[in-house]
PDB file of all heavy atoms in Angstrom:
ATOM      1  N   GLY Y  28       0.796  -1.222   0.000  1.00 90.00           N
ATOM      2  CA  GLY Y  28       0.000   0.000   0.000  1.00 90.00           C
ATOM      3  C   GLY Y  28       0.826   1.269   0.000  1.00 90.00           C
ATOM      4  O   GLY Y  28       0.348   2.333   0.409  1.00 90.00           O
ATOM      5  N   LYS Y  29       2.062   1.180  -0.477  1.00 93.00           N
ATOM      6  CA  LYS Y  29       2.961   2.337  -0.435  1.00 93.00           C
ATOM      7  C   LYS Y  29       3.318   2.874  -1.822  1.00 93.00           C
ATOM      8  O   LYS Y  29       4.176   3.760  -1.936  1.00 93.00           O
ATOM      9  CB  LYS Y  29       4.248   1.946   0.302  1.00 93.00           C
ATOM     10  CG  LYS Y  29       4.025   1.515   1.741  1.00 93.00           C
ATOM     11  CD  LYS Y  29       5.324   1.060   2.394  1.00 93.00           C
ATOM     12  CE  LYS Y  29       5.090   0.610   3.830  1.00 93.00           C
ATOM     13  NZ  LYS Y  29       6.337   0.117   4.470  1.00 93.00           N
ATOM     14  N   LEU Y  30       2.671   2.364  -2.861  1.00 94.00           N
ATOM     15  CA  LEU Y  30       3.051   2.778  -4.207  1.00 94.00           C
ATOM     16  C   LEU Y  30       2.333   4.036  -4.654  1.00 94.00           C
ATOM     17  O   LEU Y  30       2.942   4.899  -5.313  1.00 94.00           O
ATOM     18  CB  LEU Y  30       2.760   1.641  -5.196  1.00 94.00           C
ATOM     19  CG  LEU Y  30       3.101   1.922  -6.665  1.00 94.00           C
ATOM     20  CD1 LEU Y  30       4.591   2.184  -6.831  1.00 94.00           C
ATOM     21  CD2 LEU Y  30       2.652   0.773  -7.552  1.00 94.00           C
ATOM     22  N   ASP Y  31       1.060   4.192  -4.323  1.00 90.00           N
ATOM     23  CA  ASP Y  31       0.264   5.297  -4.862  1.00 90.00           C
ATOM     24  C   ASP Y  31       0.882   6.656  -4.589  1.00 90.00           C
ATOM     25  O   ASP Y  31       0.865   7.547  -5.449  1.00 90.00           O
ATOM     26  CB  ASP Y  31      -1.161   5.244  -4.308  1.00 90.00           C
ATOM     27  CG  ASP Y  31      -1.966   4.097  -4.912  1.00 90.00           C
ATOM     28  OD1 ASP Y  31      -1.499   3.531  -5.925  1.00 90.00           O
ATOM     29  OD2 ASP Y  31      -3.031   3.762  -4.369  1.00 90.00           O
ATOM     30  N   LYS Y  32       1.442   6.831  -3.410  1.00 91.00           N
ATOM     31  CA  LYS Y  32       1.999   8.137  -3.079  1.00 91.00           C
ATOM     32  C   LYS Y  32       3.330   8.413  -3.777  1.00 91.00           C
ATOM     33  O   LYS Y  32       3.825   9.548  -3.720  1.00 91.00           O
ATOM     34  CB  LYS Y  32       2.180   8.259  -1.569  1.00 91.00           C
ATOM     35  CG  LYS Y  32       3.139   7.256  -0.949  1.00 91.00           C
ATOM     36  CD  LYS Y  32       3.178   7.420   0.562  1.00 91.00           C
ATOM     37  CE  LYS Y  32       4.132   6.412   1.210  1.00 91.00           C
ATOM     38  NZ  LYS Y  32       4.113   6.526   2.689  1.00 91.00           N
ATOM     39  N   LEU Y  33       3.888   7.401  -4.434  1.00 91.00           N
ATOM     40  CA  LEU Y  33       5.148   7.584  -5.150  1.00 91.00           C
ATOM     41  C   LEU Y  33       4.942   8.012  -6.600  1.00 91.00           C
ATOM     42  O   LEU Y  33       5.891   8.447  -7.252  1.00 91.00           O
ATOM     43  CB  LEU Y  33       5.976   6.296  -5.124  1.00 91.00           C
ATOM     44  CG  LEU Y  33       6.444   5.797  -3.754  1.00 91.00           C
ATOM     45  CD1 LEU Y  33       7.301   4.551  -3.926  1.00 91.00           C
ATOM     46  CD2 LEU Y  33       7.224   6.879  -3.019  1.00 91.00           C
ATOM     47  N   TRP Y  34       3.706   7.874  -7.111  1.00 92.00           N
ATOM     48  CA  TRP Y  34       3.475   8.283  -8.491  1.00 92.00           C
ATOM     49  C   TRP Y  34       3.717   9.788  -8.620  1.00 92.00           C
ATOM     50  O   TRP Y  34       3.260  10.574  -7.794  1.00 92.00           O
ATOM     51  CB  TRP Y  34       2.051   7.974  -8.936  1.00 92.00           C
ATOM     52  CG  TRP Y  34       1.690   6.517  -8.976  1.00 92.00           C
ATOM     53  CD1 TRP Y  34       0.727   5.898  -8.246  1.00 92.00           C
ATOM     54  CD2 TRP Y  34       2.276   5.497  -9.795  1.00 92.00           C
ATOM     55  NE1 TRP Y  34       0.670   4.558  -8.538  1.00 92.00           N
ATOM     56  CE2 TRP Y  34       1.617   4.276  -9.501  1.00 92.00           C
ATOM     57  CE3 TRP Y  34       3.303   5.491 -10.745  1.00 92.00           C
ATOM     58  CZ2 TRP Y  34       1.941   3.071 -10.112  1.00 92.00           C
ATOM     59  CZ3 TRP Y  34       3.623   4.286 -11.364  1.00 92.00           C
ATOM     60  CH2 TRP Y  34       2.951   3.108 -11.052  1.00 92.00           C
ATOM     61  N   PRO Y  35       4.412  10.229  -9.649  1.00 90.00           N
ATOM     62  CA  PRO Y  35       4.626  11.666  -9.863  1.00 90.00           C
ATOM     63  C   PRO Y  35       3.304  12.401 -10.031  1.00 90.00           C
ATOM     64  O   PRO Y  35       2.285  11.819 -10.432  1.00 90.00           O
ATOM     65  CB  PRO Y  35       5.460  11.711 -11.158  1.00 90.00           C
ATOM     66  CG  PRO Y  35       6.120  10.366 -11.233  1.00 90.00           C
ATOM     67  CD  PRO Y  35       5.136   9.401 -10.634  1.00 90.00           C
ATOM     68  N   ALA Y  36       3.311  13.681  -9.737  1.00 85.00           N
ATOM     69  CA  ALA Y  36       2.090  14.487  -9.769  1.00 85.00           C
ATOM     70  C   ALA Y  36       1.337  14.399 -11.094  1.00 85.00           C
ATOM     71  O   ALA Y  36       0.104  14.298 -11.098  1.00 85.00           O
ATOM     72  CB  ALA Y  36       2.431  15.943  -9.442  1.00 85.00           C
ATOM     73  N   PRO Y  37       2.010  14.417 -12.253  1.00 82.00           N
ATOM     74  CA  PRO Y  37       1.255  14.329 -13.511  1.00 82.00           C
ATOM     75  C   PRO Y  37       0.447  13.036 -13.633  1.00 82.00           C
ATOM     76  O   PRO Y  37      -0.663  13.037 -14.150  1.00 82.00           O
ATOM     77  CB  PRO Y  37       2.358  14.395 -14.583  1.00 82.00           C
ATOM     78  CG  PRO Y  37       3.483  15.117 -13.927  1.00 82.00           C
ATOM     79  CD  PRO Y  37       3.444  14.685 -12.497  1.00 82.00           C
ATOM     80  N   LEU Y  38       1.017  11.897 -13.133  1.00 81.00           N
ATOM     81  CA  LEU Y  38       0.278  10.639 -13.177  1.00 81.00           C
ATOM     82  C   LEU Y  38      -0.901  10.653 -12.220  1.00 81.00           C
ATOM     83  O   LEU Y  38      -1.984  10.152 -12.534  1.00 81.00           O
ATOM     84  CB  LEU Y  38       1.210   9.465 -12.850  1.00 81.00           C
ATOM     85  CG  LEU Y  38       2.192   9.031 -13.937  1.00 81.00           C
ATOM     86  CD1 LEU Y  38       3.067   7.901 -13.430  1.00 81.00           C
ATOM     87  CD2 LEU Y  38       1.448   8.597 -15.189  1.00 81.00           C
ATOM     88  N   GLN Y  39      -0.702  11.215 -11.038  1.00 80.00           N
ATOM     89  CA  GLN Y  39      -1.802  11.300 -10.084  1.00 80.00           C
ATOM     90  C   GLN Y  39      -2.919  12.179 -10.628  1.00 80.00           C
ATOM     91  O   GLN Y  39      -4.098  11.900 -10.443  1.00 80.00           O
ATOM     92  CB  GLN Y  39      -1.287  11.844  -8.749  1.00 80.00           C
ATOM     93  CG  GLN Y  39      -0.302  10.909  -8.057  1.00 80.00           C
ATOM     94  CD  GLN Y  39      -0.022  11.318  -6.623  1.00 80.00           C
ATOM     95  OE1 GLN Y  39      -0.876  11.877  -5.950  1.00 80.00           O
ATOM     96  NE2 GLN Y  39       1.180  11.025  -6.146  1.00 80.00           N
ATOM     97  N   ALA Y  40      -2.541  13.255 -11.343  1.00 77.00           N
ATOM     98  CA  ALA Y  40      -3.548  14.131 -11.929  1.00 77.00           C
ATOM     99  C   ALA Y  40      -4.320  13.412 -13.027  1.00 77.00           C
ATOM    100  O   ALA Y  40      -5.546  13.540 -13.141  1.00 77.00           O
ATOM    101  CB  ALA Y  40      -2.881  15.387 -12.487  1.00 77.00           C
ATOM    102  N   ALA Y  41      -3.610  12.609 -13.836  1.00 69.00           N
ATOM    103  CA  ALA Y  41      -4.277  11.863 -14.897  1.00 69.00           C
ATOM    104  C   ALA Y  41      -5.247  10.839 -14.317  1.00 69.00           C
ATOM    105  O   ALA Y  41      -6.338  10.623 -14.841  1.00 69.00           O
ATOM    106  CB  ALA Y  41      -3.237  11.178 -15.782  1.00 69.00           C
ATOM    107  N   ALA Y  42      -4.835  10.208 -13.209  1.00 70.00           N
ATOM    108  CA  ALA Y  42      -5.704   9.225 -12.561  1.00 70.00           C
ATOM    109  C   ALA Y  42      -6.924   9.895 -11.953  1.00 70.00           C
ATOM    110  O   ALA Y  42      -8.054   9.401 -12.067  1.00 70.00           O
ATOM    111  CB  ALA Y  42      -4.932   8.465 -11.504  1.00 70.00           C
ATOM    112  N   ALA Y  43      -6.714  11.055 -11.306  1.00 70.00           N
ATOM    113  CA  ALA Y  43      -7.825  11.755 -10.657  1.00 70.00           C
ATOM    114  C   ALA Y  43      -8.802  12.322 -11.672  1.00 70.00           C
ATOM    115  O   ALA Y  43      -9.996  12.438 -11.409  1.00 70.00           O
ATOM    116  CB  ALA Y  43      -7.278  12.865  -9.771  1.00 70.00           C
ATOM    117  N   ARG Y  44      -8.295  12.654 -12.869  1.00 60.00           N
ATOM    118  CA  ARG Y  44      -9.144  13.259 -13.899  1.00 60.00           C
ATOM    119  C   ARG Y  44     -10.309  12.362 -14.274  1.00 60.00           C
ATOM    120  O   ARG Y  44     -11.416  12.804 -14.505  1.00 60.00           O
ATOM    121  CB  ARG Y  44      -8.274  13.521 -15.140  1.00 60.00           C
ATOM    122  CG  ARG Y  44      -9.026  14.038 -16.355  1.00 60.00           C
ATOM    123  CD  ARG Y  44      -8.110  14.004 -17.572  1.00 60.00           C
ATOM    124  NE  ARG Y  44      -7.735  12.624 -17.883  1.00 60.00           N
ATOM    125  CZ  ARG Y  44      -6.643  12.298 -18.560  1.00 60.00           C
ATOM    126  NH1 ARG Y  44      -5.799  13.230 -18.953  1.00 60.00           N
ATOM    127  NH2 ARG Y  44      -6.384  11.021 -18.825  1.00 60.00           N
ATOM    128  N   ASP Y  45     -10.037  11.048 -14.338  1.00 57.00           N
ATOM    129  CA  ASP Y  45     -11.070  10.121 -14.810  1.00 57.00           C
ATOM    130  C   ASP Y  45     -11.758   9.356 -13.703  1.00 57.00           C
ATOM    131  O   ASP Y  45     -12.677   8.583 -13.966  1.00 57.00           O
ATOM    132  CB  ASP Y  45     -10.451   9.123 -15.789  1.00 57.00           C
ATOM    133  CG  ASP Y  45      -9.944   9.814 -17.053  1.00 57.00           C
ATOM    134  OD1 ASP Y  45     -10.625  10.741 -17.511  1.00 57.00           O
ATOM    135  OD2 ASP Y  45      -8.867   9.429 -17.548  1.00 57.00           O
ATOM    136  N   ASP Y  46     -11.265   9.528 -12.459  1.00 56.00           N
ATOM    137  CA  ASP Y  46     -11.899   8.815 -11.351  1.00 56.00           C
ATOM    138  C   ASP Y  46     -13.322   9.309 -11.164  1.00 56.00           C
ATOM    139  O   ASP Y  46     -13.584  10.512 -11.158  1.00 56.00           O
ATOM    140  CB  ASP Y  46     -11.116   9.049 -10.056  1.00 56.00           C
ATOM    141  CG  ASP Y  46     -10.521   7.751  -9.544  1.00 56.00           C
ATOM    142  OD1 ASP Y  46     -10.790   6.712 -10.145  1.00 56.00           O
ATOM    143  OD2 ASP Y  46      -9.778   7.804  -8.543  1.00 56.00           O
ATOM    144  N   GLN Y  47     -14.259   8.427 -11.000  1.00 50.00           N
ATOM    145  CA  GLN Y  47     -15.632   8.804 -10.737  1.00 50.00           C
ATOM    146  C   GLN Y  47     -16.206   7.867  -9.703  1.00 50.00           C
ATOM    147  O   GLN Y  47     -15.917   6.677  -9.717  1.00 50.00           O
ATOM    148  CB  GLN Y  47     -16.464   8.778 -12.013  1.00 50.00           C
ATOM    149  CG  GLN Y  47     -16.304   7.518 -12.840  1.00 50.00           C
ATOM    150  CD  GLN Y  47     -17.034   7.620 -14.153  1.00 50.00           C
ATOM    151  OE1 GLN Y  47     -18.251   7.744 -14.172  1.00 50.00           O
ATOM    152  NE2 GLN Y  47     -16.309   7.586 -15.262  1.00 50.00           N
ATOM    153  N   PRO Y  48     -17.028   8.381  -8.799  1.00 49.00           N
ATOM    154  CA  PRO Y  48     -17.564   7.519  -7.744  1.00 49.00           C
ATOM    155  C   PRO Y  48     -18.533   6.504  -8.313  1.00 49.00           C
ATOM    156  O   PRO Y  48     -19.265   6.791  -9.263  1.00 49.00           O
ATOM    157  CB  PRO Y  48     -18.282   8.514  -6.818  1.00 49.00           C
ATOM    158  CG  PRO Y  48     -18.615   9.670  -7.705  1.00 49.00           C
ATOM    159  CD  PRO Y  48     -17.501   9.765  -8.695  1.00 49.00           C
ATOM    160  N   PRO Y  49     -18.531   5.314  -7.753  1.00 46.00           N
ATOM    161  CA  PRO Y  49     -19.477   4.289  -8.211  1.00 46.00           C
ATOM    162  C   PRO Y  49     -20.886   4.651  -7.803  1.00 46.00           C
ATOM    163  O   PRO Y  49     -21.099   5.415  -6.856  1.00 46.00           O
ATOM    164  CB  PRO Y  49     -18.998   3.032  -7.487  1.00 46.00           C
ATOM    165  CG  PRO Y  49     -18.310   3.536  -6.272  1.00 46.00           C
ATOM    166  CD  PRO Y  49     -17.681   4.840  -6.662  1.00 46.00           C
ATOM    167  N   PRO Y  50     -21.888   4.135  -8.506  1.00 46.00           N
ATOM    168  CA  PRO Y  50     -23.272   4.386  -8.114  1.00 46.00           C
ATOM    169  C   PRO Y  50     -23.593   3.717  -6.795  1.00 46.00           C
ATOM    170  O   PRO Y  50     -22.881   2.831  -6.349  1.00 46.00           O
ATOM    171  CB  PRO Y  50     -24.076   3.753  -9.270  1.00 46.00           C
ATOM    172  CG  PRO Y  50     -23.158   2.710  -9.822  1.00 46.00           C
ATOM    173  CD  PRO Y  50     -21.770   3.265  -9.664  1.00 46.00           C
ATOM    174  N   GLN Y  51     -24.668   4.154  -6.188  1.00 44.00           N
ATOM    175  CA  GLN Y  51     -25.086   3.545  -4.936  1.00 44.00           C
ATOM    176  C   GLN Y  51     -25.431   2.087  -5.175  1.00 44.00           C
ATOM    177  O   GLN Y  51     -26.050   1.745  -6.182  1.00 44.00           O
ATOM    178  CB  GLN Y  51     -26.308   4.281  -4.358  1.00 44.00           C
ATOM    179  CG  GLN Y  51     -25.980   5.699  -3.913  1.00 44.00           C
ATOM    180  CD  GLN Y  51     -24.960   5.703  -2.799  1.00 44.00           C
ATOM    181  OE1 GLN Y  51     -25.054   4.942  -1.857  1.00 44.00           O
ATOM    182  NE2 GLN Y  51     -23.951   6.573  -2.924  1.00 44.00           N
ATOM    183  N   PRO Y  52     -25.027   1.192  -4.264  1.00 43.00           N
ATOM    184  CA  PRO Y  52     -25.313  -0.231  -4.470  1.00 43.00           C
ATOM    185  C   PRO Y  52     -26.803  -0.507  -4.489  1.00 43.00           C
ATOM    186  O   PRO Y  52     -27.571   0.127  -3.762  1.00 43.00           O
ATOM    187  CB  PRO Y  52     -24.616  -0.899  -3.275  1.00 43.00           C
ATOM    188  CG  PRO Y  52     -24.491   0.171  -2.248  1.00 43.00           C
ATOM    189  CD  PRO Y  52     -24.323   1.454  -2.997  1.00 43.00           C
ATOM    190  N   THR Y  53     -27.190  -1.410  -5.347  1.00 42.00           N
ATOM    191  CA  THR Y  53     -28.590  -1.797  -5.430  1.00 42.00           C
ATOM    192  C   THR Y  53     -28.767  -3.187  -4.872  1.00 42.00           C
ATOM    193  O   THR Y  53     -27.828  -3.966  -4.778  1.00 42.00           O
ATOM    194  CB  THR Y  53     -29.062  -1.773  -6.899  1.00 42.00           C
ATOM    195  OG1 THR Y  53     -28.223  -2.637  -7.664  1.00 42.00           O
ATOM    196  CG2 THR Y  53     -28.969  -0.352  -7.470  1.00 42.00           C
TER     197      THR Y  53
END
């Protein structure tokens, strides 16, 4: 669980750009 914080800022920004919350569970 220590890799995510090592990604450079541009990669984190690219990942955050497309992240979207899942719908409420049915």
Side-chain angles (χ1 to χ4, degrees):
K29 299 177 181 178
L30 180 62
D31 288 347
K32 62 183 180 183
L33 297 183
W34 296 118
L38 285 178
Q39 295 192 31
R44 175 191 64 203
D45 295 322
D46 244 356
Q47 48 186 297
Q51 293 298 315
T53 57

